[in-house]
Amino acid sequence: MSLSTYTERFERFAATLPAAEQQQRQAQFARFLSSGFPTRALEEWRYTDLSTYADRDYSLGEALPSNVASECLADAERVVYVNGVLNTELSTTSRWHAAVDAPKTLRDGLIALNAAFARGGLNLQLPKNERLAAPLQVLLVSRAESSAVMSHQCHRIELGENAEATVLLQFVGNGGERLATHVIDITLAAGAKLQLYRLQDEGSGATLITQVEVQQARGSQLRALTIDLGAAFVRHDFSTDLAGPGADAEISGLYAPRGTAHIDNHTRAVHSAPHCRSRSHYRGIIDERARAVFNGKVLVQPDAQKTDSEQRIANLLLSRRAEVNAKPELEIYADDVKCAHGATVGQLDETALGYLRSRGIPQDAARALLLRAFAVEILDRITWPALAARVAAGMNLPSEMPLASLDEVMA
Amino acid sequence: MLLEIKNLHARVETKEILKGLDLTVKAGEVHAIMGPNGAGKSTLSHVIAGREGYAVTDGEVLFNGKNLLELEPEARACEGIFLGFQYPVEIPGVSNITLLKAALNARRKYRGEKEIEPGDFLAWVRDRAKLVKIDPKMLSRGVNEGFSGGEKKRNEILQMLILQPTLMILDETDSGLDIDALRIVADGINTMRAPERATILVTHYQRLLDYVQPDFVHVLAGGRIVKSGGPELAKELEDKGYGWLEAA
C-alpha cells in the first residue's frame, strides 16, 4: 500500500495550519497511515473494497465556482459548500458554519483521514426549546476539473432540550474523479426532535463516504431518511445510541444504484437505555451491473429492557448482473425485549407488469409504476413536499393521481 | 371482419394446447366459448391478448385486418382489445385510479389524441363506478388490493367500461360470483353491446348466458373448436355435458 500521494498532500496542507494545530493533525494522519484504507479482510468492509484508493492521487479541493440554482429548495435556508469550502454567495445564512473539531474516536482509517484533513462544516446548535423556523438545506457540492479532487468535512448538530429542527444534507456534484468524506456528529438532548434527510444524487465520478453518529437522550426523537441515487461508490454509516429512556429512532432509506455503482449502507441502533424504540426500514432497487450492500445492526445492552425494535429490508434486483448483499445483525443482551427483523430480495412482479400492459400501459411506464409502488413506503415518509418532488424527479418516477381531487369529485 | 383466427397452434412450454383453431367474430356479435377444463379456453384468450408464456407455432390472428401476433400486449389493448382476467392481479402501491388514468391516456396517445382533462376523467370514472356498484373510495386503494372475489370481477368490468374496447374477451368472469354480482357483471357487458363492438365470453356454465344472450356458442375441446351453434347449443351442453362431443 503506497499512500504516498496522500502524505504529499497532507504535508502541504499541514504547512498552512497554525503550529498548535499541526501536532494534532499529524497524529491523526499517522493513524491513517498505519490503518490505511479499509480492506475486505475487515468484517465491516466485507463487501466493499477500498484498497485501490491507496494509489490514487487527489488534490485537496478548491472553492470552484458552481451553479446549484436548480438544486435550491425554495422554502429552505441554505448553506452551500463547494469542495468543502463555504460559499457565502450561494448560502442564505452563514450562522451555522464553523470549524468543527474532529471526532475523538478514530474508528478506522477513513475517519482518521477525515480528521487529518477536515475543514469547517455545518455547526447547528439550538438552545433549549428553540425551533428552526425553516428547514435547513446543506448542499455539499463536489466538483473536479482537470485533476482528481478530494474534500473532507466534519459537521455537528446539537439540539438542546425540546429543540426541533429539519436538516437536509444533500450531496451533488459533477466533473472528474472525486473523493469526499463527511463525518456528522449529532447530539439530541432530552425531548429534542430532529428530522434528518440525506440525499445523494452525485455524478458518476464520485466516491462518497459519510458517517453519521447520533447520541439520543431521554425522550428524544430522531427521524432519519437517506436516499442514494447516483455516485460511483458510496459508503454510508449511520449509527444512533438510544441512551436515555423513551428515546425513539426511525431510520429509513432507499438506494437505487445503476450502471456500475456500488452503494453500501451500514446502520446501527444501539439500545443502551430501557423503553426505547427503533425502526429501520430500507428498500433497494438495483439495476444494470450495480451492487448494493445493506448491513443493519441492532445491539440491545443488558439494561435496555422493554426495547422495541424492528428492522425490515426489501430489495428488488432488476437485472441479472445486479447484486445485493443484505444482512440483519442482532445482538441482544436483555431478556424482556421485542426485536423483529426481516430481509427480502426479489424481482419485479412480472404478473403485475403483464396486467398493466394488458390495459394499454407501455412497458416502461408500467415498470415505473411498479418501481414507484415499491419505493413508496419510503418516499411517503418525506414530509417536505419540495424535497419529495426533487427525489421523484431524480428517480424518474411517475406521479400518483392526487387523491384529494378524487374524493372531491366522487363525493 | 373484427377478428379472424386461422389454424392457430400455440404451446405453453413444450405442451401444445391449441391445435389448429379457427374462429371468426364480426362486429356486433357475442360469442360464447365453452368447453371442458384444459381444453385451451384460457390459452386462447391469453394468446389473443398477448400475455407472456405462450408460443404461437402456426396460424394467424387478424384484428381489423391487422396481424395481432406481431403487436406488443399494450399495443393490442390500444387497438381495442380488452381481456377480463379470470384471476385479476393485486398490485399494492399502484392505485386503481392511477391505473385507469394511465391506461386511458395511453390509449389516447396511441391514437394521437391529447390527455384527458382531470375533471372529465373523474366524472367519466364516477359514472361508471356507479354502474358496477363500486364505492369510489375503493379506487384510491391499490389495484384489487384487498378486494373480494366479486369486487375484483366488478373491477374488471369497470376497467372495461372506462376503456371502451371494441373486442371484449371475458375469461370466466362469471366464476365465483353470487347472483347479485353476476347480474352487475352481465349488465356491464350488455351496456357495452353495440354494432361496432364484439364480445367473446369464455365460460364453463350456461348461467352467465341467461343474462348475456350470445349469438353463437362454440365448444372448444382438445385445442380446437369442435362444434358451433346458436344459443340452444349452450342449453344442450348444460343437459348433456361435453362427453358426447369429445367422444365424437
Side-chain angles (χ1 to χ4, degrees), chain A residues 12-36:
Chain A
R12 241 183 272 173
F13 171 67
T16 67
L17 298 171
E21 206 184 323
Q22 282 191 16
Q23 200 183 354
Q24 189 199 352
R25 298 281 190 158
Q26 294 283 4
Q28 282 150 344
F29 191 71
R31 173 70 197 275
F32 166 64
L33 286 181
S34 67
S35 338

Side-chain angles (χ1 to χ4, degrees), chain A residues 18 24 35 39 42 110 152 154 194 197 199 203 221 249 254 313 348:
Chain A
Q24 189 199 352
S35 338
T39 67
L42 298 165
L110 275 173
H152 308 277
C154 282
L194 174 66
Y197 296 104
L199 168 61
Q221 194 189 77
L254 180 70
I313 316 157
L348 208 62

Side-chain angles (χ1 to χ4, degrees), chain A residues 349-352 354-363 369-370 372-373 376 399-401 403 405-407 409-410, chain B residues 52 72-74 77-78 82-83 85 91-95 97-99 101 103 106 122 125-126 136 144 156 159:
Chain A
D349 182 348
E350 290 293 331
T351 315
Y355 188 78
L356 294 172
R357 292 177 74 193
S358 80
R359 298 302 179 243
I361 302 171
Q363 182 157 15
L369 281 175
L370 294 177
R372 191 192 175 284
V376 79
S399 58
E400 268 270 315
M401 180 90 195
L403 296 174
S405 58
L406 174 70
D407 291 340
V409 177
M410 293 294 180
Chain B
E52 283 181 8
E72 295 291 335
E74 53 266 38
C78 290
F82 181 92
L83 172 63
F85 284 61
I91 315 180
V94 178
S95 71
I97 201 80
T98 297
L99 162 73
K101 188 158 182 251
L122 290 171
V125 172
R126 179 191 52 204
N144 291 317
E156 294 289 287
Q159 292 175 16

Side-chain angles (χ1 to χ4, degrees), chain B residues 48-79:
Chain B
I48 298 172
R51 289 198 74 192
E52 283 181 8
Y54 301 89
V56 173
T57 52
D58 200 3
E60 61 177 358
V61 180
L62 300 177
F63 182 66
N64 282 324
K66 266 187 205 166
N67 179 0
L68 209 53
L69 298 177
E70 62 186 23
L71 296 181
E72 295 291 335
E74 53 266 38
R76 300 185 198 195
C78 290
E79 287 283 342

Side-chain angles (χ1 to χ4, degrees), chain A residues 224-274:
Chain A
L225 193 143
T226 185
I227 304 222
D228 278 288
L229 303 180
F233 198 101
V234 177
R235 167 69 180 238
H236 178 51
D237 282 86
F238 191 102
S239 172
T240 187
D241 185 2
L242 299 136
D248 185 309
E250 281 185 12
I251 310 162
S252 47
L254 180 70
Y255 42 93
R258 47 180 57 226
T260 56
H262 178 109
I263 294 179
D264 179 344
N265 271 281
H266 270 60
T267 68
R268 216 170 117 93
V270 180
H271 284 259
S272 307

Side-chain angles (χ1 to χ4, degrees), chain B residues 116-132:
Chain B
I116 188 166
E117 294 295 327
D120 294 345
F121 168 70
L122 290 171
W124 179 252
V125 172
R126 179 191 52 204
D127 295 346
R128 272 141 201 87
K130 272 183 200 151
L131 231 72
V132 291

Side-chain angles (χ1 to χ4, degrees), chain A residues 271 273-276 298 300 304-309 336-339:
Chain A
H271 284 259
H275 296 282
C276 292
V298 175
V300 181
Q305 300 296 358
K306 304 286 180 192
T307 284
D308 174 7
S309 119
D336 186 10
V337 301
K338 213 164 75 186
C339 292

